[in-house]
Amino acid sequence: MMIKRFIFFALLINFTFQSQVFAQTTKSKKALKLYKSSQELKKSRDFEKSISALKKAVEIDPKFAEAHLDLGYNYFILRDLRNARVHLQKAAELKPDDQKFKYSYIRVAEFELREGNYKVAVDYAKKYLTYNSSARYQRDVDEANRIIEIGEFAIEGMKNPHDFKPVSLGDVVNKFPYQYFPVLTADNSSMVFIGRQNKIENLYISTNENGKWGEPKPIKEINTNAQEGTCTISGDGKTLIFTACGETKERKVYGLCDLFISHKSGDEWSTPKNMGGKINRRSWESQPALSADGRTLYFVSDRPGGIGGNDIWMTKLNEKNEWTEPENLGPTVNTKRDEIAPFIHANGKTLFFSSEGYLGYGGYDFYKTELKNEKEWETPENLGYPINDFRDQVGLFITADGTKAFYSNEDYESGVIISSVLTSFDFPEEIRPSKISDVVAGKVFDAVTKKPLNAQIKLTNVDSDHLISAVESDEKYGNYLIALTEGSKYALHVDRSGYLYKSLSFDYKKGSESKVIELDIYLDPIDEGSIVTLNNIFFESGSYALLPESKTELDKLVKFMSDNDELKIEIGGHTDNVGSDDKNKTLSLNRANSVKEYLTKAGISDERIATEGYGESKPVEENTSETNKAKNRRIEFKVVKN
């Protein structure tokens, strides 16, 4: 699946001029005769016989540089790169400072670059430029300059290597001749990848049990006898988008390759659906990358309107649950060459991808960029050596905590992939995402019956009142997963019609070691006497003035009251035991009234809202620590009449 690019040129040689020159550079008349015969054969485009004659010529005179040069070109035209390299290299060695051999220098520079022999590549490229100043060969001049730039960058970069120790994921998961493009759920419990055997690509899933990857199982609802290519999975493992190339009876496509989507409920995946004409065009769409909540999609396309070649595009699910018109990520990310294989980290801000358009180590390298705001990206950064080297690096996945990387380690022989093994390594700290993510996972239940519930779970940044992610718990099992990124204060709301919503608060402004937070959530039916703690209402110490970051919670309460327009509630204020009873009771009542005032200004009838100040009389914890006191300082609402 890796992409190996070679540049092939139609090389025109002045055969008459060369024959006159070559007559003076070999003492063997027989070798010269064979050489002349090869020229005639080449003119008639019989390259095989031309090669045969030239091989005999160099057997007779191994130092016949011009014959080696022509052999190299013939092999190059036939795309036999191994033999082309041998003879062009020999020609360059025999004539290291001869202007007539300058084209062997640039070709050898290309070959050496592809093998990571940077200094040799740079030397040959510089030698080529010394002997060529003609605008007629500008393409080769540009290539020589690029080789020099790459070579010098690589030589310097190799002086400061990362600690890089890739380890195979083991024979159990690496059971196919080839496996590649691994993607994981946010809690690292499941991995989906492409397995290839008998020239057929299908999707497989492996689960992590006690730190070891289990036997990969085919995703039967998705796999066919056709090709299922690069895929992506949401953080909770419930949304899968994959590439299908070529039309089948079951799958209609718009272009060369299209993106299809499937959702998991319980243990079953839905029948895949084409993502439609906005996403898929008559062009090539592939290599999708979903955000953790499954609501932002990055993918690769060569559609019109891009910067050049294959570009990375982005689309989002809107409020109507429809994918928006894709947008090109723009010239900060995309170049005139190819950008491929995007991966968006669980933090939703750090994008990893492969590119051959930026300065690197040759071929495709891994890069990362950070989202500065809604649409602006930072200048991409090369991930460095030896994560990147002269080979193509494509398809990287970084865990939510930023510590582990997964990819497919591929070996090539003469430009052909001979093995591909799923591999992981410790991701160097100096190039990790700027913000890591925690994972909150658990199940949603009916508080009375204890049965699993399908519910909406929304995460909002309370400082900006911006929706960060939205997921649903599974209808059959009630399980959910959502990513929390360090550096912000979050409100987590869990909703289901007919139930009181649950309000949770997570303060990650200071950052912490990433982990999986296990949290089961029980929703109470809307019954008289039911109580909800509003964990995201904030006041200044000793004051009843609402702080701006309370807006998310207050607006949620407004919507809840609007959706349940017969409901009457009591808003109760509570304090810790600091201060006198009377002052605490007055403060708690004033805080409750502040919440009521916000609701009434938002259109909720005054008659539906009662208030009460309980002061320190109803603590939920003993006031023995600052943590417990913070829990006691709260606003609740109680259902008075349903």
Side-chain angles (χ1 to χ4, degrees):
M1 195 72 183
M2 300 296 276
I3 302 171
K4 202 73 176 176
R5 296 295 179 94
F6 297 103
I7 302 173
F8 295 97
F9 298 95
L11 303 170
L12 302 177
I13 302 174
N14 188 323
F15 302 116
T16 304
F17 174 74
Q18 287 191 351
S19 296
Q20 291 172 348
V21 174
F22 298 165
Q24 302 171 15
T25 58
T26 181
K27 295 178 180 180
S28 171
K29 292 182 179 180
K30 189 174 181 180
L32 180 60
K33 184 177 179 180
L34 286 165
Y35 178 81
K36 289 180 177 179
S37 173
S38 76
Q39 299 297 291
E40 295 302 318
L41 290 166
K42 186 162 59 175
K43 285 180 181 178
S44 62
R45 302 190 67 77
D46 192 341
F47 297 109
E48 295 291 348
K49 288 184 178 179
S50 177
I51 286 172
S52 180
L54 289 166
K55 286 172 69 177
K56 291 176 182 177
V58 298
E59 285 175 8
I60 295 168
D61 184 358
K63 294 185 178 181
F64 192 175
E66 292 80 4
H68 282 292
L69 179 66
D70 233 28
L71 258 176
Y73 281 137
N74 280 341
Y75 280 124
F76 199 83
I77 290 169
L78 295 178
R79 301 195 176 192
D80 184 345
L81 298 181
R82 179 188 292 178
N83 281 313
R85 177 178 182 174
V86 169
H87 292 286
L88 289 172
Q89 183 88 49
K90 188 65 176 178
E93 290 173 356
L94 289 167
K95 297 289 184 177
D97 297 297
D98 190 329
Q99 184 173 0
K100 295 185 293 295
F101 285 76
K102 60 187 177 183
Y103 301 111
S104 67
Y105 304 154
I106 183 61
R107 299 287 84 82
V108 170
E110 291 174 337
F111 288 131
E112 295 292 349
L113 181 66
R114 291 178 193 130
E115 295 297 323
N117 300 322
Y118 296 115
K119 186 178 185 309
V120 178
V122 169
D123 288 345
Y124 271 115
K126 287 181 176 179
K127 186 172 289 187
Y128 171 77
L129 292 177
T130 300
Y131 294 122
N132 187 67
S133 59
S134 173
R136 177 183 176 188
Y137 303 108
Q138 188 59 45
R139 187 174 184 179
D140 278 347
V141 171
D142 292 343
E143 182 68 9
N145 284 316
R146 183 169 178 269
I147 289 170
I148 293 168
E149 191 177 22
I150 290 172
E152 291 178 345
F153 173 87
I155 290 168
E156 189 63 29
M158 291 170 69
K159 294 177 181 177
N160 298 290
H162 294 300
D163 185 14
F164 178 62
K165 297 174 182 175
V167 178
S168 167
L169 297 188
D171 294 338
V172 174
V173 69
N174 286 303
K175 63 177 291 185
F176 305 105
Y178 308 95
Q179 39 269 305
Y180 31 74
F181 281 102
V183 292
L184 284 70
T185 52
D187 60 357
N188 305 328
S189 64
S190 297
M191 174 174 60
V192 181
F193 62 92
I194 301 170
R196 179 184 171 191
Q197 54 184 345
N198 301 322
K199 297 183 179 181
I200 298 296
E201 293 179 339
N202 283 144
L203 298 184
Y204 294 84
I205 188 165
S206 173
T207 56
N208 193 326
E209 299 173 1
N210 300 319
K212 293 184 179 180
W213 291 101
E215 180 80 14
K217 297 178 181 179
I219 305 179
K220 63 181 187 300
E221 299 92 339
I222 290 175
N223 291 337
T224 67
N225 290 327
Q227 305 287 357
E228 282 73 46
T230 49
C231 71
T232 182
I233 195 167
S234 58
D236 60 7
K238 297 182 185 301
T239 301
L240 182 72
I241 295 176
F242 66 96
T243 308
C245 298
E247 189 162 281
T248 66
K249 184 178 179 180
E250 298 83 11
R251 294 177 187 162
K252 303 298 181 183
V253 297
Y254 291 81
L256 297 175
C257 293
D258 280 9
L259 298 178
F260 284 74
I261 190 168
S262 175
H263 299 283
K264 190 177 184 182
S265 179
D267 301 312
E268 301 292 326
W269 288 96
S270 64
T271 301
K273 292 184 178 180
N274 190 298
M275 295 191 71
K278 281 185 181 178
I279 309 299
N280 296 311
R281 302 285 178 85
R282 296 183 65 181
S283 47
W284 180 76
E285 278 73 41
S286 185
Q287 300 175 354
L290 265 177
S291 60
D293 69 349
R295 300 187 68 83
T296 302
L297 173 67
Y298 299 84
F299 64 96
V300 176
S301 177
D302 60 357
R303 65 180 62 196
I307 306 298
N310 294 314
D311 280 359
I312 300 173
W313 298 71
M314 182 269 292
T315 178
K316 292 186 175 185
L317 273 178
N318 61 21
E319 294 178 355
K320 297 180 180 179
N321 233 29
E322 297 172 344
W323 293 100
T324 59
E325 191 70 33
E327 298 179 15
N328 190 286
L329 292 197
T332 303
V333 174
N334 292 314
T335 70
K336 292 182 179 179
R337 292 176 179 261
D338 286 345
E339 280 66 49
I340 58 174
F343 161 69
I344 187 69
H345 186 258
N347 65 21
K349 302 288 185 182
T350 309
L351 181 72
F352 295 86
F353 63 98
S354 296
S355 174
E356 61 174 4
Y358 292 95
L359 194 55
Y361 293 80
Y364 287 96
D365 278 6
F366 290 135
Y367 296 84
K368 76 163 186 174
T369 178
E370 300 273 351
L371 189 62
K372 293 192 289 187
N373 51 47
E374 283 296 305
K375 292 186 178 181
E376 272 193 288
W377 296 90
E378 293 179 353
T379 301
E381 172 190 354
N382 189 293
L383 295 192
Y385 179 83
I387 296 172
N388 289 319
D389 61 16
F390 61 92
R391 295 166 293 187
D392 285 334
Q393 280 76 42
V394 179
L396 187 68
F397 182 96
I398 310 298
T399 54
D401 64 4
T403 63
K404 284 283 186 182
F406 292 79
Y407 75 116
S408 52
N409 190 3
E410 287 153 343
D411 284 332
Y412 287 86
E413 189 173 288
S414 300
V416 178
I417 183 173
I418 58 173
S419 71
S420 177
V421 177
L422 298 180
T423 305
S424 71
F425 62 94
D426 292 333
F427 200 56
E429 186 174 356
E430 58 269 25
I431 55 172
R432 289 177 187 172
S434 61
K435 297 182 184 299
I436 61 172
S437 296
D438 279 353
V439 172
V440 179
K443 295 183 178 182
V444 181
F445 297 99
D446 182 305
V448 177
T449 67
K450 305 301 186 288
K451 290 182 178 180
L453 290 177
N454 168 245
Q456 289 186 335
I457 302 160
K458 294 183 178 181
L459 184 71
T460 305
N461 184 319
V462 298
D463 292 327
S464 63
D465 192 32
H466 177 67
L467 180 66
I468 300 299
S469 53
V471 301
E472 288 189 17
S473 57
D474 186 79
E475 190 168 355
K476 182 177 180 179
Y477 297 116
N479 56 300
Y480 75 94
L481 182 150
I482 199 162
L484 300 178
T485 299
E486 66 173 354
S488 297
K489 185 186 290 185
Y490 297 106
L492 188 71
H493 293 113
V494 186
D495 286 282
R496 179 183 167 94
S497 179
Y499 289 80
L500 294 174
Y501 71 86
K502 188 71 74 174
S503 168
L504 302 170
S505 180
F506 296 90
D507 190 348
Y508 279 29
K509 283 190 173 182
K510 295 181 180 179
S512 61
E513 183 180 349
S514 184
K515 55 190 177 295
V516 176
I517 302 168
E518 296 182 1
L519 181 64
D520 290 340
I521 297 170
Y522 293 83
L523 296 183
D524 293 297
I526 302 177
D527 290 328
E528 191 169 332
S530 297
I531 296 174
V532 172
T533 301
L534 303 175
N535 286 306
N536 296 286
I537 299 288
F538 305 102
F539 302 91
E540 288 282 2
S541 178
S543 169
Y544 56 87
L546 289 162
L547 291 174
E549 53 262 42
S550 304
K551 185 177 187 300
T552 297
E553 187 78 84
L554 293 167
D555 288 345
K556 177 63 191 171
L557 182 54
V558 169
K559 186 177 186 306
F560 177 78
M561 295 292 288
S562 299
D563 291 343
N564 299 274
D565 55 9
E566 298 297 320
L567 198 69
K568 291 185 178 181
I569 65 171
E570 175 197 275
I571 298 172
H574 300 264
T575 68
D576 57 27
N577 65 347
V578 177
S580 69
D581 291 350
D582 290 341
K583 285 185 176 180
N584 283 336
K585 189 168 185 178
T586 299
L587 177 61
S588 62
L589 178 60
N590 287 336
R591 286 180 170 179
N593 285 331
S594 293
V595 174
K596 177 178 180 178
E597 182 181 1
Y598 188 98
L599 298 181
T600 55
K601 285 183 177 179
I604 306 301
S605 172
D606 178 271
E607 296 178 354
R608 297 175 59 197
I609 308 167
T611 59
E612 185 64 59
Y614 293 97
E616 59 189 79
S617 65
K618 293 186 176 184
V620 292
E621 300 284 353
E622 292 186 13
N623 287 292
T624 54
S625 68
E626 286 304 316
T627 299
N628 287 355
K629 289 178 180 180
K631 291 179 181 179
N632 290 330
R633 298 189 298 268
R634 68 196 188 278
I635 294 289
E636 297 176 338
F637 78 81
K638 179 172 65 175
V639 177
V640 176
K641 182 179 179 183
N642 184 13

